[in-house]
Each structure stands twice: as C-alpha cells, then as structure tokens.
Amino acid sequence: MYSQDKKNNSEKSKEKESIRLQAFLAHCGIASRRASEKLITDGRVSVNGKVVYELGTKVTQDDEVFFDGKKVQLENKKRYVLLNKPAGFVCSSQDEKGRAVAVDLLKEKYSERLYNVGRLDMYSKGMIFFTNDGDFAAKLSHPSSQLEKEYIVETSQDVSEDFAKNFEKGIRVENVFYKCQRCEILKPRKIRIVLIEGKNREIRTVLESQNIGTKSLVRVRIGNVNLDDLKPGDSRDLTSSEVSGLLNLCKKRALRAGV
C-alpha cells in the first residue's frame, strides 16, 4: 500500500511540475506569456525536436525546448529591472527594421534574458520595467491591474485648462475613446498626465487631435515606483518592497473589478 501511495504521489508531483509552454517560455525569460503565444503559433518553438503550434501544450523541466533553434532553460534568478529608456529605442526583443532595441541597454549589466513589461513608443522616454518572471509580467500587464502611469509632457503649443478637463472627462478621436485619470497644467506648455489604461500612443493622439504637438514625453512613475534621478540609459533593480507594492496594487484593483 505504501509503495502504491508513493507512486501516486510521484505521479501527482510530475503533473504539478508540468506547465503550459507559453508559461515555460515566460519563465525562461524569452517573452511575456502573451508574446510567447504568438511565438508558438508562428512556429518558432519546438519541443523534443518537434515544432509545436498548440497553445495548450504542456512541458516539464525534462523536455527539451528550443526557440529559434536555441535551447532555452528556466531562469534560476528572478530579475525585476527599471530602465530609463532614452528616445530612439523600441520596446521589443528584436526589431526587423534594424532599429535600436531598449533591452540591449541591459545586456552588459544582466546575463539573464529579460523582456519588457508594457511598452513606450520609440520617441517617448522614461521608465519601463524588464523581467524574466512571467507571472509578474502577466499581472502587471493584465487590464484589471489598472496601474497608474504618470507622464510629464512638453508641448509645442499652449495647453488650456479646458483641454485638461475634457481629457479627464474623455475625448473621442476617430471613434476611439480616450480618457485620462488626471491632467494637470504645470506651465502653458508643460503638463502632467496620469493614465490607468494607456492605449497605443494615447497622449500623442489626443494632443494631435487638438492641433497640439508633442516635444517631449517622459514616463516618470508606474504605480508605486518613481523614476527619480535615474539618468537616461541607466537601469537599476527594483527593490523587494517595490515589487511587492506593484503586485499588491494589481491585486487590489483586480479585487475591485471582481476578477
């Protein structure tokens, strides 16, 4: 009886160790879970010598997983990194147009394979997180997290108080509804904007719809983490309290949303 119980426990243990392929790739520092799903469906991932397209595929540490022909392994150390991205860098693992990639700024300092959590467009500057922890990336990227993201924007024309109020109420541009959490006029051509959703190029699009050009856009805060005096191109590890603070904010928002 003992032998049978031991066998059953062993089988259950192996079942627990198996995880979905996209989660495995995320834990290996290849890409976020969502981005890893596309890598799989694009046929760039193989398991034990066979290309896999099914997102439901499960693997264990005993399986040999390859991405673009290179074997990948689980990262032993979890990394949570804050980068002050300069303008001119794109947020992706690689760029088919040959443009500079933000993650390359971390390669001399970190040996782990890291990927960005969220994005900043090529011409925007400021803080962006990088990690090799798929769970962390998934929680921060989930729509229910609604983490506040704060930006300081310098414009080419004066910005009125009416614009600030309208942006807080919501502005529709080409059938897309944009709404910020807060918009504060610091100077006639300098504003502070806080978003919790952050559609692609949202701030630039809304300003352009009002014939206002964007000279500089810098993200200075995400949730409980501030950019402070970190110089452009420099990076640092997030503290354990910053990581736990971010996750707690995500959890609170998700509970409120009933997710």
Side-chain angles (χ1 to χ4, degrees):
M1 178 65 72
Y2 174 79
S3 177
Q4 184 63 40
D5 288 343
K6 187 175 181 180
K7 181 179 178 181
N8 291 338
N9 289 334
S10 177
E11 289 176 351
K12 289 179 180 179
S13 177
K14 287 182 180 180
E15 289 177 359
K16 289 181 180 179
E17 290 173 2
S18 67
I19 60 175
R20 290 182 180 273
L21 182 55
Q22 57 265 42
F24 183 86
L25 292 172
H27 290 309
C28 290
I30 300 301
S32 66
R33 289 191 188 186
R34 184 173 297 179
S36 293
E37 290 179 355
K38 188 174 188 308
L39 298 179
I40 295 169
T41 56
D42 285 348
R44 298 173 64 183
V45 181
S46 64
V47 179
N48 301 326
K50 182 180 179 181
V51 176
V52 175
Y53 297 93
E54 297 295 328
L55 296 179
T57 302
K58 291 189 175 182
V59 295
T60 70
Q61 293 189 42
D62 294 331
D63 292 310
E64 288 193 330
V65 179
F66 288 78
F67 167 62
D68 283 349
K70 296 181 180 179
K71 188 174 181 179
V72 298
Q73 297 177 345
L74 292 172
E75 297 280 10
N76 293 323
K77 182 176 179 60
K78 299 299 183 187
R79 286 286 188 186
Y80 310 94
V81 179
L82 164 60
L83 170 70
N84 184 351
K85 185 188 87 67
F89 289 79
V90 296
C91 295
S92 60
S93 57
Q94 58 186 5
D95 186 68
E96 59 185 19
K97 297 180 181 179
R99 295 173 296 184
V101 180
V103 71
D104 287 346
L105 295 170
L106 305 175
K107 288 186 175 179
E108 288 189 9
K109 191 173 179 180
Y110 300 96
S111 60
E112 296 85 0
R113 301 179 72 159
L114 304 173
Y115 53 88
N116 48 285
V117 182
R119 292 178 181 272
L120 270 177
D121 70 56
M122 180 175 175
Y123 301 105
S124 296
K125 301 175 285 187
M127 63 190 303
I128 185 165
F129 298 141
F130 286 81
T131 189
N132 58 356
D133 184 342
D135 290 334
F136 176 79
K139 288 175 181 175
L140 265 63
S141 301
H142 196 279
S144 67
S145 68
Q146 292 192 322
L147 283 174
E148 286 192 350
K149 299 176 182 67
E150 182 177 328
Y151 303 82
I152 300 298
V153 185
E154 294 183 9
T155 63
S156 55
Q157 288 85 23
D158 291 356
V159 180
S160 68
E161 289 290 348
D162 285 342
F163 168 83
K165 292 177 182 177
N166 289 335
F167 198 3
E168 290 178 353
K169 292 178 182 177
I171 295 175
R172 189 172 295 278
V173 182
E174 295 183 355
N175 293 322
V176 180
F177 188 70
Y178 299 96
K179 183 178 183 297
C180 71
Q181 187 80 350
R182 291 188 297 280
C183 183
E184 177 185 359
I185 309 295
L186 303 177
K187 294 180 180 179
R189 298 190 179 188
K190 187 175 183 178
I191 55 179
R192 184 198 315 275
I193 295 175
V194 177
L195 303 177
I196 58 172
E197 185 177 1
K199 297 182 176 72
N200 184 38
R201 300 186 77 254
E202 176 165 353
I203 294 173
R204 294 180 187 275
T205 299
V206 172
L207 287 170
E208 286 171 7
S209 74
Q210 308 300 309
N211 297 314
I212 300 171
T214 302
K215 292 180 64 177
S216 172
L217 190 154
V218 184
R219 184 155 63 194
V220 297
R221 177 175 66 87
I222 300 176
N224 58 306
V225 183
N226 293 292
L227 185 61
D228 294 328
D229 57 355
L230 192 66
K231 295 179 181 179
D234 285 352
S235 60
R236 68 169 178 83
D237 290 307
L238 294 177
T239 66
S240 57
S241 61
E242 286 174 332
V243 173
S244 60
L246 287 165
L247 293 174
N248 284 335
L249 284 172
C250 292
K251 184 178 181 180
K252 288 178 181 178
R253 292 281 188 175
L255 288 173
R256 290 176 186 174
V259 177

